[in-house]
Amino acid sequence: MGQPSTQASNAIIYLTYGAFLIFGCAVAWKLRHQTKGEFLSSNRTQTAFPLALNFIASALGSGILFAYPQLATIAGVQGVVVYAIASAAPLMIFATLGPIIRKKCPEGFVLPEWTRQRYGIAAAIYLSALTLITMFLYMVAELSALGQVVTALTGMDGLPVIVVQCVVTTIYTSLGGFKISFITDNIQGALVVGLVIIATISIGVETEIDKSLVDSSGLLDASLLGWQLLYILPVAILTNDFFLSQFWIRTFASKTDRDLWIGVSIAAIATLIIVTLVGSTGLLATWTGVFDPNNPEQDGSVAFFYLINELPAWTVGFVLVMVVSLSTAAFDSFQSAMVSTFSNDFCRNKLNIWVIRGLVVLIIFPVVVIALKAPSILQIYLISDLVSASTIPVLVLGLSDRLYWWRGFEVIVGGLGGILTVFIFGTIYYGNALDGGKLILLENGLYANDWSAFGAFVAAPIGGLLWGFGACALRLAVHFMIAKVKGRRFDALDRPAYLRHQVEGGNEYAEDDEVHVARDGLVTVDHKGKFF
């Protein structure tokens, strides 16, 4: 029972990385003649099943082995179910909004491109900056989780594994770009599903539940935290998914809307099952007695590993392969998505392909440095959750043609105003500004026994919308006064020209002379929406 030997652990980990490196380089060699456009995206090329595997691989990561079991030890069955549904269901937003955005902006492959054409450059840069920061934090969290998982499963230092993973994914991602990430995610996604099945069977056969602990643990009972998370988690995860460009690139890569619906639906169901099984290990760890929630020396975030260390060493070996596959799939997706987003949003895809490949390498260094100092995986995720909860509601209003008068000014003011509203709420709730400021970072986490986190996630979207509509009223008032002073007609509420002459299959916002096709296959659109 317990950990495999150091030699066996090293062999399992590094042979798995070696296999991914060889496969990735082989595919990259096959793709060596691809254009810059193919390096950055693959619009309308992928069918349903590969999309499903890619969404699964991109939605998961080694961090799930900490977060889901930990919540199970705190909020019980209710927490497992809520967290699983809140993680899987938001994927359907890409099947719902993806076709709408692709119809309006068929040349794009990331969300900030639609934002640029709808709201203008300032709003696009604002969203792109938030997107890049969020993905950077997720990369940090992934490496931090990987190091902690390896240490928990094998007792070895996680740093060499972190370095090797960065080298492996950087080599094949810099050579092959998005397409290599898409192909390797197919293999890694299928591998993860198979390994989860094997690990689940092993845990089911080897684990013995102490029935006396089931009732005494209280994990079958509903709790206030469980009901709060029923609102907090869907809002946090749904809005934060908008900031993850790897999902949008894969959305635009779907061959048809039908392929997108089928692929995302399969991925959502598979993700629901996987994270439910992983979360259940927190329950099993408590009910078998290997984790005691009343023991201050034990940490619920490693409940999964308490349970795994009671199983045969070969089971830990399978889990190691699963962890490497999970982490590699998630990490290379972030790498390619970050580079594609930066190239499109800040450089308008004018960079040489070798410069783009160099960027893949450069972003690794700060990620590794910060990951080695990151104390909490969950805390890293939470940093961007309130920002997304503030920004996304005011952003998506622009998808409605009825709200054609909504501008980029409202998006930025609303997003920043939502964060300010959280600060105001926190100051009132705690009675002092210092704790109100700390609430923006959710320093007490989501699992505090009070209403602070719940109130913050109510204040962020509602405050963002209120500030957004206030900004809209201010902008219209300014336009009205300018019209009065200059003696011209007030036209700030006139329907825009693009709503009067929409062309089926064409860009909704841009004129024909604003769309350019380059020799490298990239389509660029010069049109910029109105900010003010």
Side-chain angles (χ1 to χ4, degrees):
M1 299 288 183
Q3 297 175 342
S5 66
T6 300
Q7 294 83 355
S9 298
N10 280 325
I12 292 170
I13 292 171
Y14 296 118
L15 284 175
T16 304
Y17 279 127
F20 287 151
L21 178 61
I22 293 171
F23 177 76
C25 289
V27 176
W29 175 257
K30 186 177 180 181
L31 299 173
R32 64 189 183 278
H33 298 304
Q34 65 179 337
T35 65
K36 183 167 65 175
E38 293 169 330
F39 186 92
L40 295 172
S41 65
S42 294
N43 285 11
R44 291 194 177 275
T45 60
Q46 304 300 325
T47 55
F49 190 65
L51 279 173
L53 292 175
N54 260 256
F55 269 93
I56 293 170
S58 298
L60 304 176
S62 56
I64 67 172
L65 303 181
F66 291 98
Y68 291 85
Q70 179 184 21
L71 182 56
T73 64
I74 298 172
V77 174
Q78 183 186 30
V80 172
V81 173
V82 170
Y83 204 171
I85 295 175
S87 299
L91 292 177
M92 296 306 300
I93 199 68
F94 297 100
T96 304
L97 297 185
I100 298 174
I101 294 176
R102 183 159 61 177
K103 182 179 179 181
K104 294 176 178 292
C105 177
E107 305 84 5
F109 52 84
V110 288
L111 187 61
E113 178 61 27
W114 167 76
T115 306
R116 176 189 177 90
Q117 296 182 31
R118 175 61 178 83
Y119 291 118
I121 295 178
I125 295 298
Y126 169 73
L127 180 65
S128 185
L130 295 179
T131 296
L132 291 171
I133 292 170
T134 298
M135 290 193 290
F136 181 86
L137 292 175
Y138 270 65
M139 291 173 72
V140 169
E142 186 54 48
L143 291 185
S144 177
L146 174 66
Q148 294 178 49
V149 168
V150 169
T151 300
L153 287 176
T154 67
M156 302 188 306
D157 183 8
L159 176 58
V161 179
I162 291 175
V163 173
V164 169
Q165 172 162 301
C166 289
V167 171
V168 169
T169 58
T170 300
I171 288 174
Y172 69 69
T173 303
S174 63
L175 293 175
F178 165 72
K179 192 167 287 187
I180 192 76
S181 173
F182 194 96
I183 294 172
T184 54
D185 279 4
N186 286 336
I187 305 298
Q188 293 153 348
L191 189 60
V192 165
V193 172
L195 292 170
V196 166
I197 293 173
I198 295 173
T200 301
I201 294 173
S202 174
I203 292 173
V205 171
E206 299 288 342
T207 300
E208 294 184 6
I209 294 177
D210 184 344
K211 295 182 179 179
S212 64
L213 294 175
V214 175
D215 291 329
S216 63
S217 67
L219 296 180
L220 296 178
D221 302 328
S223 64
L224 173 62
L225 175 61
W227 292 117
Q228 289 177 337
L229 293 177
L230 189 61
Y231 168 79
I232 293 174
L233 290 176
V235 171
I237 295 174
L238 174 63
T239 57
N240 209 244
D241 279 354
F242 277 80
F243 286 168
L244 302 181
S245 288
Q246 67 267 35
F247 287 136
W248 290 110
I249 296 175
R250 283 156 176 78
T251 297
F252 279 94
S254 59
K255 184 172 289 187
T256 65
D257 293 345
R258 182 173 180 271
D259 285 312
L260 180 61
W261 266 101
I262 295 174
V264 173
S265 298
I266 294 173
I269 294 171
T271 301
L272 175 66
I273 295 172
I274 291 171
V275 296
T276 299
L277 292 173
V278 171
S280 297
T281 60
L283 304 175
L284 294 175
T286 304
W287 293 340
T288 56
V290 298
F291 171 72
D292 181 3
N294 298 316
N295 184 352
E297 296 183 358
Q298 288 189 309
D299 185 357
S301 67
V302 291
F304 174 85
F305 306 101
Y306 292 137
L307 181 66
I308 290 296
N309 285 334
E310 297 297 313
L311 301 179
W314 65 266
T315 305
V316 179
F318 273 106
V319 173
L320 276 174
V321 177
M322 182 182 74
V323 167
V324 170
S325 302
L326 277 171
S327 190
T328 305
F331 198 74
D332 67 22
S333 297
F334 283 122
Q335 283 180 290
S336 64
M338 276 198 74
V339 172
S340 294
T341 301
F342 179 82
S343 174
N344 182 82
D345 300 347
F346 289 91
C347 305
R348 302 306 296 157
N349 299 319
K350 294 179 180 179
L351 293 177
N352 181 276
I353 191 169
W354 285 102
V355 176
I356 297 173
R357 286 170 171 156
L359 290 175
V360 177
V361 178
L362 287 177
I363 61 174
I364 287 301
F365 295 102
V367 170
V368 173
V369 171
I370 296 176
L372 296 177
K373 299 181 180 180
S376 170
I377 287 89
L378 181 62
Q379 189 66 42
I380 296 172
Y381 292 142
L382 294 178
I383 291 175
S384 64
D385 282 346
L386 282 176
V387 177
S388 63
S390 301
T391 301
I392 296 305
V394 291
L395 178 77
V396 297
L397 290 179
L399 287 172
S400 172
D401 288 341
R402 294 182 178 180
L403 299 180
Y404 59 86
W405 38 266
W406 195 252
R407 296 282 188 266
F409 179 68
E410 285 90 289
V411 172
I412 294 180
V413 172
L416 298 177
I419 297 299
L420 179 60
T421 305
V422 173
F423 170 73
I424 295 172
F425 164 77
T427 301
I428 296 172
Y429 183 82
Y430 289 113
N432 65 86
L434 178 61
D435 288 333
K438 290 181 178 179
L439 184 61
I440 296 176
L441 299 178
L442 289 172
E443 288 195 358
N444 294 326
L446 290 180
Y447 309 147
N449 292 317
D450 59 22
W451 289 91
S452 59
F454 182 87
F457 277 97
V458 171
I462 293 179
L465 289 169
L466 291 176
W467 279 94
F469 279 103
C472 180
L474 174 63
R475 179 179 58 80
L476 292 176
V478 169
H479 278 290
F480 181 79
M481 288 188 291
I482 292 174
K484 283 292 186 182
V485 170
K486 294 187 175 182
R488 67 188 188 195
R489 191 176 69 85
F490 174 68
D491 58 0
L493 293 176
D494 287 0
R495 290 175 63 84
Y498 68 78
L499 290 179
R500 297 194 295 269
H501 53 79
Q502 295 180 356
V503 179
E504 186 67 28
N507 187 293
E508 180 172 302
Y509 308 111
E511 301 291 342
D512 291 341
D513 59 356
E514 294 178 311
V515 181
H516 309 285
V517 181
R519 288 181 298 176
D520 55 17
L522 279 170
V523 179
T524 57
V525 178
D526 292 337
H527 179 81
K528 298 176 285 293
K530 290 185 178 180
F531 175 75
F532 193 86

